Amino acid sequence: MNKKLRKAVIAGNWKMNKNRAEAKALIEELKPLVKDADCGVIVCVPFTDLETVLAATEGSNICVGAQNCHFAPSGAFTGEIAATMLTEMGVEYVVLGHSERRQYFGETDVTVNKRLRAALDAGLKPIVCVGELLEQREQGVTAEVVGMQTRIALGGVSAEELKNIIIAYEPVWAIGTGKTATADQAGEVCGLIRATVADLYGKEAADGLTIQYGGSMNAGNAAELLAQEDVDGGLIGGAALKAPDFSAIVAAASK
Ligand code: PGA
């Protein structure tokens, strides 16, 4: 089973939640609960929490990520953050192309690709999000949509660079809705993403790629989703805001 070759990674996406005091408290509660994790553990936090969370996680097994970065190295981009500004702080990961960025902030497949390029050049490890809308699933074009998002996001990325990338399959209809994809649905689309990557980079590269599922994953449904051959971890929104919930998902991924 190729699944055994891959590293399971559970990443929390805090979205626009937690001030600095709350962020510190959550990390302090989380640290003892995940210290023996047999999977990668990442928290992707608001920009304003990064310094606090980097300090609080120092010396622990919790890695830190941001939730976006801009594609230019510097310049007249009011309100944006450059990838090198993140690496200079010690940030390791960055979420790119989240559906909320696509939906509310005009993010497109092309800008996701540009941000991915900038993130890789700066030495960040991107967690690239793809996923279909409800209408697209109902019209039977999930494979086409997700395949296209994956191909465009990875444009110009080398096989060596692919090793630093995680792809998160997040069906938009399952995000924050309490409506989880079934384990079979999640497994099927993660498998399609892996097949797309195999087509671009070869089977060996695809077999080594960590592909997460995200969308209402919680302590109750994590084990079943993570048991799927092509689901190597989770990108967790709501359930990442409470240490017992998040650590239960980490425990499920560590089995
Ligand atoms: P959710 O969010 O777990 O709250 O559905 C997942 C995500 O948006 O990454």
Side-chain angles (χ1 to χ4, degrees):
M1 291 264 280
N2 295 323
K3 190 176 179 72
K4 296 210 170 57
L5 304 173
R6 298 189 282 271
K7 191 173 160 64
V9 180
I10 300 297
N13 172 14
W14 290 8
K15 310 193 178 183
M16 195 173 71
N17 293 292
K18 305 285 178 192
N19 63 27
R20 284 180 297 175
E22 291 164 343
K24 178 151 173 44
L26 177 52
I27 295 297
E28 293 305 337
E29 195 185 346
L30 200 55
K31 274 195 287 193
L33 297 176
V34 302
K35 71 175 186 346
D36 297 320
D38 191 18
C39 66
V41 181
I42 308 170
V43 289
C44 299
V45 308
F47 291 125
T48 48
D49 287 337
L50 283 171
E51 194 161 14
T52 303
V53 169
L54 282 164
T57 54
E58 212 183 315
S60 79
N61 60 330
I62 302 174
C63 301
V64 179
Q67 298 171 12
N68 188 26
C69 70
H70 196 259
F71 41 79
S74 64
F77 300 100
T78 303
E80 290 291 320
I81 303 284
T84 50
M85 292 173 173
L86 297 172
T87 44
E88 189 254 348
M89 292 182 79
V91 174
E92 197 177 343
Y93 289 88
V94 65
V95 177
L96 293 175
H98 190 277
S99 67
E100 286 149 18
R101 300 288 323 164
R102 296 177 191 256
Q103 187 177 353
Y104 303 125
F105 304 102
E107 196 81 60
T108 66
D109 293 333
V110 171
T111 59
V112 172
N113 173 250
K114 288 172 77 173
R115 287 177 207 264
L116 181 69
R117 186 67 265 152
L120 289 170
D121 288 344
L124 285 168
K125 297 174 185 164
I127 301 174
V128 185
C129 304
V130 296
E132 81 286 4
L133 303 169
L134 181 60
E135 297 83 341
Q136 293 167 331
R137 175 161 284 269
E138 286 173 351
Q139 286 173 11
V141 294
T142 298
E144 286 86 344
V145 169
V146 173
M148 184 182 74
Q149 289 174 338
T150 304
R151 280 177 193 275
I152 297 176
L154 294 176
V157 171
S158 71
E160 199 51 36
E161 289 170 327
L162 184 74
K163 294 179 182 159
N164 287 324
I165 295 176
I166 293 173
I167 295 184
Y169 166 54
E170 298 208 309
V172 180
W173 47 272
I175 294 177
T177 57
K179 234 180 161 184
T180 321
T182 63
D184 285 346
Q185 286 172 329
E188 184 192 359
V189 183
C190 289
L192 285 167
I193 293 169
R194 199 176 307 285
T196 302
V197 172
D199 193 35
L200 293 169
Y201 297 94
K203 186 170 176 335
E204 200 182 316
D207 280 345
L209 177 71
T210 295
I211 302 180
Q212 299 173 320
Y213 167 78
S216 301
M217 194 190 267
N218 58 41
N221 60 27
E224 196 189 351
L225 288 158
L226 294 168
Q228 289 285 319
E229 164 72 16
D230 283 305
V231 179
D232 308 311
L235 182 56
I236 321 297
L241 299 175
K242 294 202 177 100
D245 294 359
F246 188 65
S247 61
I249 300 171
V250 169
S254 298
K255 287 213 177 92

